[in-house]
Amino acid sequence: MNNTIAIKENIYWIGVNDRRTHIFENYWPLPKGVAYNSYVIIDEKIVVIDTVERSHMDDYLENLRTVLQGRPVDYLIINHMEPDHSGSIKALLCHYPELTIIGNAKTFPMLQNYYGIHNNLLEVKEGDSLAIGKRTLNFYMVPMLHWPETMVTYIPGDNIIFSGDIFGAFGTLDGGIFDDQSDLDYLEEEISRYYSNIVGKYGIPAQTALKKLGTLPLNMLCATHGPIWRSHISDIIAKYDKWSKYETDEGVIIAFSSMYGHTEQMADTIGRFLAEKGIKKIRIHDTSKTHPSYIINDIFRYKGVILGSCAYNGGIFPTMETLLNELENMGIKNHYLAYFANKTWGGGAIPRFKTFAEKIKWEIIAEPSEATGTMKPSDMEQCQTIAQAMAKKLKTN
């Protein structure tokens, strides 16, 4: 079956869908799968842009052969070295051993360390160009989006940018490969979750890249995951601009860890008081059931964060510890924070929350509440105080 699609005259998508992999980077859930996008340009020279994850290289190579009709590959451009995009390089070299690999100075040490490849390399720098016939390719460096070697490839005239992981999305391409052929409502969470989970740590580099790429006329954004953007380019750029500035909407994430239901009872109570104060966007997550991927995604959306945990072996519950570690690592900015805890005989959660608050540097809007077992009237009052302080802060700002 021919799984190649022309995206422009003599430019083809030769990607693959992956519905079998359950977790991305061995951590992030993939309930809707993922697509690996690769592209080929047919001109006086044949140029392949990125490859695919190695488990799909047989289908990928068949797609490439269908397009090439017996011609050899002259150049392989590596915009990003992560193995879901570089995993088929060695197989590609087996079939086309004379091709030249294009990357930047930070690409080639990774290429050597991953695959032992060190021959037929062409280094490009910021603003360099490569004439391939009727078309010319321009190269721009976008380091730390989300690896240090990341770059993008741009075709002036066609105004197409091959953006690597930038503007990507989780989710397979079910039928169409373009944004205007896709159900973007269905993919909405996978688009934002991809940003928050994969790119979210790198807000400042994202802003730098957006300013640089914003000077280029754009008719098409071709990422290595998710749909090709041609009709909603301004929309996806606006989303990246908002997310990378850590701009949020009015709403509250309540994430809790509970063994016997007492901490959950506090979370529900805080949620009800928030609703009474007019907060509608309330998302309550049990960290034992909800993967941090989804909680982090919601935190990128909404300004208020309220965290709660039971005590566990003199410390905080393990799944809450995982969430705190993720948030500390990502360094998400510009949120309001409150926290609460529950214990039976000894505490443990409150000191860890305090350490988290000091590291994350979010504005704390209320004193913490710590209950012992089932909620008492005084505990309910403290939960109400947290909810009222958060609602007031959100409504005021």
Side-chain angles (χ1 to χ4, degrees):
M1 180 179 177
N2 183 0
N3 286 320
T4 65
I5 300 173
I7 66 172
K8 192 79 174 179
E9 183 180 3
N10 292 324
I11 304 178
Y12 296 86
W13 174 87
I14 52 170
V16 296
N17 281 317
D18 183 354
R19 297 183 177 89
R20 296 189 176 188
T21 299
H22 293 282
I23 49 176
F24 189 75
E25 296 180 346
N26 211 28
Y27 188 65
W28 309 106
L30 291 175
K32 296 177 182 177
V34 68
Y36 307 115
N37 299 334
S38 176
Y39 306 91
V40 60
I41 305 169
I42 309 296
D43 209 316
E44 292 176 18
K45 300 292 186 179
I46 302 293
V47 181
V48 173
I49 302 178
D50 294 307
T51 69
V52 303
E53 205 275 333
R54 64 182 180 179
S55 64
H56 293 265
M57 65 184 175
D58 288 342
D59 291 337
Y60 170 69
L61 291 172
E62 183 60 32
N63 291 345
L64 179 59
R65 283 192 290 265
T66 299
V67 171
L68 296 185
Q69 295 293 301
R71 291 185 62 182
V73 175
D74 296 292
Y75 295 108
L76 167 65
I77 296 172
I78 303 176
N79 282 325
H80 181 30
M81 264 297 300
E82 205 165 5
D84 52 329
H85 310 302
S86 66
S88 295
I89 289 178
K90 291 185 74 171
L92 194 64
L93 283 170
C94 288
H95 291 270
Y96 307 102
E98 302 303 316
L99 70 79
T100 297
I101 296 178
I102 297 175
N104 59 70
K106 294 182 179 178
T107 306
F108 298 139
M110 295 182 187
L111 188 66
Q112 167 71 28
N113 291 334
Y114 273 33
Y115 307 116
I117 297 170
H118 52 81
N119 294 323
N120 296 336
L121 308 180
L122 175 61
E123 181 182 331
V124 294
K125 301 180 178 65
E126 175 72 23
D128 282 355
S129 299
L130 176 70
I132 60 171
K134 294 179 180 179
R135 289 181 164 103
T136 297
L137 308 180
N138 295 343
F139 304 98
Y140 300 95
M141 305 299 121
V142 287
M144 298 318 301
L145 278 181
H146 53 121
W147 279 21
E149 88 302 354
T150 308
M151 66 182 195
V152 301
T153 303
Y154 178 70
I155 307 178
D158 293 308
N159 301 337
I160 298 174
I161 194 164
F162 299 93
S163 60
D165 276 352
I166 311 169
F167 308 120
F170 292 136
T172 53
L173 299 174
D174 297 345
I177 65 168
F178 296 100
D179 56 351
D180 50 31
Q181 297 174 329
S182 304
D183 184 351
L184 295 182
D185 291 335
Y186 175 74
L187 289 176
E188 180 180 7
E189 184 174 48
E190 298 303 82
I191 294 167
S192 62
R193 199 165 61 88
Y194 182 85
Y195 176 86
S196 61
N197 296 179
I198 306 302
V199 186
K201 179 179 175 67
Y202 306 102
I204 293 174
Q207 279 292 304
T208 301
L210 288 173
K211 289 179 174 63
K212 178 186 295 187
L213 303 181
T215 64
L216 303 173
L218 296 174
N219 294 334
M220 202 175 292
L221 302 176
C222 300
T224 45
H225 299 291
I228 296 171
W229 301 93
R230 65 180 181 184
S231 296
H232 300 85
I233 291 175
S234 61
D235 293 338
I236 189 62
I237 290 176
K239 287 179 185 294
Y240 264 63
D241 186 47
K242 177 179 180 178
W243 294 331
S244 59
K245 290 177 179 175
Y246 303 102
E247 293 179 354
T248 49
D249 298 326
E250 180 186 289
V252 180
I253 309 306
I254 304 174
F256 72 88
S257 301
S258 185
M259 293 179 68
Y260 307 118
H262 300 137
T263 314
E264 182 176 12
Q265 185 182 34
M266 296 175 74
D268 280 334
T269 299
I270 293 171
R272 283 194 292 273
F273 284 129
L274 282 168
E276 288 179 1
K277 291 298 179 180
I279 303 299
K280 293 184 178 180
K281 301 291 180 62
I282 302 168
R283 305 289 185 264
I284 301 181
H285 294 292
D286 182 342
T287 63
S288 294
K289 298 179 69 175
T290 304
H291 192 276
S293 165
Y294 297 95
I295 304 173
I296 290 167
N297 187 42
D298 278 343
I299 289 173
F300 265 88
R301 291 174 175 173
Y302 304 118
K303 187 78 168 179
V305 179
I306 301 176
L307 304 173
S309 178
C310 58
Y312 190 82
N313 289 337
I316 204 165
F317 197 74
T319 55
M320 179 57 70
E321 179 66 34
T322 297
L323 176 62
L324 298 184
N325 286 334
E326 286 289 351
L327 293 173
E328 288 171 350
N329 178 263
M330 286 191 164
I332 303 171
K333 298 176 176 59
N334 302 333
H335 284 73
Y336 300 137
L337 174 66
Y339 50 92
F340 61 95
N342 199 293
K343 62 182 181 180
T344 297
W345 66 89
I350 292 296
R352 178 64 180 96
F353 280 137
K354 183 178 179 181
T355 300
F356 168 77
E358 292 169 351
K359 288 184 178 180
I360 204 73
K361 294 181 170 59
W362 294 345
E363 182 178 348
I364 299 175
I365 55 86
E367 290 295 318
S369 170
E370 186 171 39
T372 303
T374 302
M375 288 179 62
K376 316 301 188 295
S378 59
D379 300 321
M380 184 169 294
E381 289 176 4
Q382 291 181 37
C383 288
Q384 184 177 28
T385 298
I386 289 174
Q388 288 176 339
M390 181 64 78
K392 181 179 179 181
K393 198 72 178 177
L394 292 172
K395 293 294 185 182
T396 301
N397 291 280

